Structures are given as C-alpha cells and as structure tokens.
Amino acid sequence: MAKKENKTKSFILRIDTDTMDAIEAWAADEFRSTNGQLQWIITEALRRAKRLPKRQKNDNDNNNNDESLQEL
C-alpha cells in the first residue's frame, strides 16, 4: 500500500486565555474545531494579504482557491 503524504506541520502555539476563549466560541458558532478555525483564520489572512502561495492544479483538483476557502 502506498504511503499517504502528510502536508501539514504541527507546532505549539501560546495564546492568552481571552483570545483562546473567543476563538473557541467562534469555532463553535461556525461548527468547526478550534484547530480548523485557527487554520481558516490563518489561511484567510494570508489570502487577503496576497501572501498565500498559489496551488498548482492537478487532475484531482477541480476547485479553485476561493471555492475551497468558502467551504471552510
């Protein structure tokens, strides 16, 4: 069986309690995990700053970046 490539990196984030509480509440409102909410916030900030690298399309990728972000 082929090994699945992992394209995510793990890291430790220190964040103050009030900010974390706000992120957790926002995540719950959006029906996301806290981790998913943080990923969305970071991706959206990078996209708006035009610092997100463009993804190369392949045969299995029929979505563009904007559609993918809207689903998050």
Side-chain angles (χ1 to χ4, degrees):
M1 190 155 40
K3 184 177 178 182
K4 185 176 180 180
E5 186 178 332
N6 185 358
K7 294 187 177 188
T8 61
K9 292 185 177 183
S10 298
F11 69 98
I12 297 172
L13 175 66
R14 289 183 180 90
I15 191 165
D16 67 84
T17 304
D18 291 338
T19 301
M20 190 63 181
D21 290 345
I23 291 169
E24 289 172 339
W26 189 7
D29 290 345
E30 304 269 333
F31 301 104
R32 291 190 185 112
S33 66
T34 302
N35 186 64
Q37 188 70 19
L38 287 167
Q39 288 178 321
W40 181 85
I41 291 167
I42 293 166
T43 301
E44 188 66 11
L46 289 169
R47 185 188 65 79
R48 288 181 181 180
K50 298 185 188 308
R51 293 185 175 264
L52 190 65
K54 299 211 187 248
R55 288 182 19 188
Q56 291 186 3
K57 291 193 174 205
N58 61 34
D59 294 338
N60 295 331
D61 187 11
N62 294 327
N63 295 329
N64 65 31
N65 287 342
D66 290 338
E67 290 175 353
S68 296
L69 287 175
Q70 288 174 358
E71 292 175 355
L72 296 175

